[in-house]
Amino acid sequence: MVSALRRTSDDLHAFLGERIGGLDGVHTAETVLTLRRVEGLTA
């Protein structure tokens, strides 16, 4: 299981396609979006 915090849906798409999809042996992935307010990470 992987948990990832991404700022935009484009960032999430790139993460899934390039990082997760690029791993040997990964054929499918199941994604669940959870909205959360995170304080102190905004620029």
Side-chain angles (χ1 to χ4, degrees):
M1 181 184 296
V2 173
S3 178
L5 176 65
R6 298 290 173 226
R7 289 184 181 266
T8 67
S9 59
D10 288 339
D11 289 346
L12 176 60
H13 186 269
F15 175 76
L16 292 172
E18 297 166 11
R19 300 290 303 264
I20 302 300
L23 295 172
D24 288 337
V26 174
H27 302 286
T28 61
E30 191 172 309
T31 304
V32 177
L33 298 177
T34 303
L35 297 177
R36 186 184 319 175
R37 183 177 176 156
V38 179
E39 299 289 334
L41 292 181
T42 58

